[in-house]
Every structure is written in structure tokens, then in C-alpha cells.
Amino acid sequence: MNLHRTLATAARVLRQLRHDPRSIALMILVPCVMLLLLRYVFDGSPRTFDSIGASLLGIFPLITMFLVTSIATLRERTSGTLERLLAMPLGKGDLIAGYALAFGALAVVQSALATGLSLWFLGLDVTGSAWLLLLVALLDALLGTALGLFVSAFASSEFQAVQFMPAVIFPQLVLCGLFTPRDQMQPALEAISNVLPMSYAVDGMTEVLRRPDLTGDFVRDAVIVAGCALLVLALGAATLRRRTA
């Protein structure tokens, strides 16, 4: 990897996204709108919003970053842009890291806005630090970015990229512990949930919701989510093809 090439790739992606207001709106505004909607759905039961709002603060950015990243990367592949870039002295690692940096910068903005909205406007009541809540939201968004980059290698159209969402995101959403504690699931499903990164994202949010201080469980959850994101990025670089099929 070369730092200059990686930064140049990130700058190019950000310039392109600047001319795509719909993608920016999807990444930045949709998680905030969903949280706002959720808050007033539970207007008569604010404790319900407190109990699930923190978890969804991490899940919504993950889902939106997955969708936008997979579609945007696939669009570059099908247009031949990636093939032309890889014909230059640009390594696969430079390309994947550049995309991750660009979308990661947007993930920072997205997570900061969603966290600020939840805490200071929607009145989300958490026991722990707002900075820890922001950290998990950011890690979740970066995980969504990494997953989007990875699955884009296996899709040949934008429709196929969207079809990966039920296979990659929905099982994690069902098994992450949002709807029922994982230790109350059927043992086989609990075992599966133990290897899914979204489970640890929800666990990390729950720790911030309930614990006033930094705990060992929170550190473990954050490290696992970050490690999964790095692993998926490495797999994305390994599966990146130099020629468009």
C-alpha cells in the first residue's frame, strides 16, 4: 500500500459523491429520520425508545452505509472505472483503503449527527458517556462500509447488490439480541449469533446504555466490531478483480 495513492483515491471518491446528493442524503439523513420516526412511534412510552434506541443508533448507520457503499462501488465496477484504475500502478489495498477512508469520513459525520440528535433532541437516556455511544455508532457505520465493499465484488448489477442485504444484514438483525436476549434463543441460533458482528455492536450499545463507566465487556465488543471491519476490508481487497466480468 502507498499512502499517497490511498489518499488520492479517497479524494476522488469524495469528489464524485459531492455530485451525488441522493447518496449523501441517504447516508447522512436517513438514520436521523428513522430515529426521529421511532421516537414518536413510542411517544407514549419513552422508556421503550430508551431501551432500543441506542441499539438502533448503531444498526441504522450500518444498514445505510452497507447499501450506499455496495451500490456506489458496483457502479464504478460496471462502468469500467475500477478496471482502468487497477491498470495503473495502484494496488488493490490502496483502492480498498481509499474507498474505506472516503466512506469512513462520511460515516463520522453520519454517526455524529445521529448521536447528537438522539441524545440532545430526542432525549435518549443513557447512563454511560456520549462519546462511547458515538464510538460504537462509528464502528458500526465502518463495519457497514466494509461489508458493502466486500459484497460488491459478487454482484453484477445494482439490483443484485441490494439482494445481498437479506442475506448479509437481515440474519444479523434478527439474531443480534435486539428483539430478545441472545441467551434466551434456541442454542443453535445463539451459537450463530455469537459469531455475527452486529451482535457485539448491540452489546456495546447496551453497555453504554446501562453502565456509567468504561467496562471490559464494552472494550471487548468494540474491538470485535473493529476487528471484523478490518477483516472484511482485507477480504474485499483479496477478492477484488482486476478485470470486470
Side-chain angles (χ1 to χ4, degrees), residues 42-238:
F42 294 110
D43 190 47
S45 180
R47 289 187 179 181
T48 302
F49 176 71
D50 290 338
S51 64
I52 66 173
S55 297
L56 293 175
L57 180 59
I59 292 174
F60 286 155
L62 189 155
I63 293 174
T64 56
M65 292 304 295
F66 172 85
L67 281 173
V68 172
T69 305
S70 59
I71 292 173
T73 308
L74 180 65
R75 190 178 299 165
E76 296 233 306
R77 177 178 286 107
T78 55
S79 67
T81 301
L82 286 182
E83 188 172 331
R84 292 193 295 272
L85 287 172
L86 290 173
M88 302 168 63
L90 182 71
K92 293 181 179 181
D94 297 323
L95 190 64
I96 290 294
Y99 273 83
L101 281 176
F103 286 107
L106 291 173
V108 172
V109 177
Q110 178 198 69
S111 300
L113 286 176
T115 302
L117 175 71
S118 299
L119 292 176
W120 295 300
F121 182 76
L122 301 181
L124 179 66
D125 185 17
V126 297
T127 304
S129 169
W131 292 107
L132 295 180
L133 199 68
L134 175 60
L135 174 62
V136 182
L138 176 58
L139 290 176
D140 291 344
L142 293 176
L143 177 61
T145 298
L147 289 170
L149 289 170
F150 177 65
V151 303
S152 68
F154 304 98
S156 57
S157 67
E158 294 183 14
F159 179 68
Q160 286 187 5
V162 174
Q163 285 181 312
F164 273 104
M165 187 171 174
V168 176
I169 300 297
F170 286 178
Q172 296 193 66
L173 186 61
V174 172
L175 298 175
C176 68
L178 178 64
F179 302 106
T180 186
R182 292 192 290 126
D183 57 8
Q184 296 180 16
M185 296 179 183
Q186 202 276 339
L189 294 181
E190 182 184 358
I192 295 173
S193 73
N194 288 336
V195 299
L196 298 177
M198 191 183 290
S199 299
Y200 297 95
V202 171
D203 287 349
M205 287 295 193
T206 303
E207 283 292 307
V208 179
L209 182 67
R210 298 177 179 175
R211 309 290 184 184
D213 302 316
L214 181 67
T215 65
D217 287 341
F218 175 86
V219 173
R220 178 206 63 190
D221 296 333
V223 168
I224 289 175
V225 174
C228 288
L230 292 175
L231 175 61
V232 174
L233 284 176
L235 292 173

Side-chain angles (χ1 to χ4, degrees), residues 7-20 24 102:
L7 294 177
T9 300
R12 182 186 64 81
V13 174
L14 288 174
R15 285 196 300 270
Q16 289 182 328
L17 286 173
R18 186 178 61 185
H19 301 292
D20 188 358
I24 294 177

